[in-house]
Every structure is written in structure tokens, then in C-alpha cells.
């Protein structure tokens, strides 16, 4: 059965399922990128802690490196780490919500297929994402 042969009510739910899957994939990719950045920030902080007070410290400023004060760079990296952790938590909550919506839509599709069409239990407004 091709997508063109599907009844409109089922096509709509399949389309919603695909959209949720794409949203989930985008969220997971963003979360993975943030986690990688957090690991890099941790490594940079570890190296800075090994550096002595008089050692030269540089930070990236676009495509060049500039000399900076160690304590300022540490402070910037700790703020970046904190912000990254907060953003990961937000993405985790979004991920959970999208996964729940995916389950609901999959269940609705299965009920529609078994029932042969939308019924009073399956019709209605979808939950907000």
C-alpha cells in the first residue's frame, strides 16, 4: 500500500509521526554536539589548572590566538560549562516530551489501522508539543 493509497486520516498521522521523528533526531544531534563541547571545555579547564600562575595562557578569538589572564579564561570556561549543562537539560526535557508524543502517535496509528478508521476515541485535538 503506497502513501497515496492511505486514507487521509492515516496519512495525517503518519506525517505527524515523521515530523516528530525528525524533531527527535534534531534534538538528539544538538544534545550530542553540546555534550562534545562540554567534554572539550572540561579538558581545557583541566589543562588550565595544571598551568602555573606565571605561565602564558592564550584563548581563541576568531581565527587568531590572543594572550589572556588565566583566571579570566578559567571563569569564561566555567560559565560556558554551566550554560552547556543547562542547555543539555533543556534538550533532555524536549527529547522526553517528543518521545512521549511519538509513542502516542504510534499508538493512535495502530488503533486506527486495527479499527479501520478514526473513531470517537481517536479523534480530537492532538496534544501540544
Amino acid at each position: 500500500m503506497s502513501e497515496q493509497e492511505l486514507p487521509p486520516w492515516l496519512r495525517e498521522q503518519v506525517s505527524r509521526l515523521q515530523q516528530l521523528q525528525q524533531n527527535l533526531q534534531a534534538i538528539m544531534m544538538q544534545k550530542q554536539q553540546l555534550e562534545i563541547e562540554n567534554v572539550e571545555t572540561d579538558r581545557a579547564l583541566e589543562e588550565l589548572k595544571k598551568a602555573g600562575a606565571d605561565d602564558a595562557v592564550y584563548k581563541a578569538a576568531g581565527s587568531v590566538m590572543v594572550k589572556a589572564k588565566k583566571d579570566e579564561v578559567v571563569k569564561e570556561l566555567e560559565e560556558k560549562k554551566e550554560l552547556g549543562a543547562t542547555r543539555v537539560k533543556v534538550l533532555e526535557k524536549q527529547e522526553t516530551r517528543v518521545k512521549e508524543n511519538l509513542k502516542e502517535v504510534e499508538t493512535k496509528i495502530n488503533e486506527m489501522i486495527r479499527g479501520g478508521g478514526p473513531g470517537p476515541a481517536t479523534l480530537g485535538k492532538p496534544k501540544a508539543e
Side-chain angles (χ1 to χ4, degrees), residues 6-97:
L6 295 176
W9 47 267
L10 185 54
R11 229 177 321 164
E12 181 182 325
Q13 292 303 314
V14 169
S15 175
R16 179 162 161 69
L17 180 73
Q18 290 170 339
Q19 182 182 19
L20 286 168
Q21 288 171 332
Q22 289 172 351
N23 290 350
L24 180 62
Q25 186 176 13
I27 289 168
M28 292 174 75
M29 287 174 59
Q30 288 175 27
K31 188 175 111 180
Q32 183 180 26
Q33 184 62 38
L34 280 170
E35 289 170 341
I36 290 168
E37 287 177 22
N38 288 345
V39 168
E40 291 173 356
T41 301
D42 282 337
R43 284 189 192 142
L45 281 167
E46 285 176 30
E47 290 301 317
L48 277 173
K49 288 176 183 172
K50 293 177 188 175
D54 296 333
D55 290 344
V57 174
Y58 296 88
K59 69 177 186 174
S63 60
V64 297
M65 301 291 285
V66 294
K67 196 169 187 175
K69 294 183 180 177
K70 177 183 168 182
D71 56 341
E72 289 177 6
V73 175
V74 168
K75 184 179 177 185
E76 286 178 23
L77 288 174
E78 287 173 344
E79 287 174 1
K80 180 180 179 180
K81 182 179 171 180
E82 189 177 319
L83 179 61
T86 302
R87 290 174 64 197
V88 167
K89 285 180 186 176
V90 168
L91 287 171
E92 285 172 346
K93 288 179 183 178
Q94 288 178 343
E95 180 181 1
T96 300
R97 194 167 42 246

Side-chain angles (χ1 to χ4, degrees), residues 110-128:
N110 287 332
E111 287 173 0
M112 289 176 159
I113 290 172
R114 280 194 299 272
T122 57
L123 286 178
K125 296 185 180 1
K127 287 189 175 181

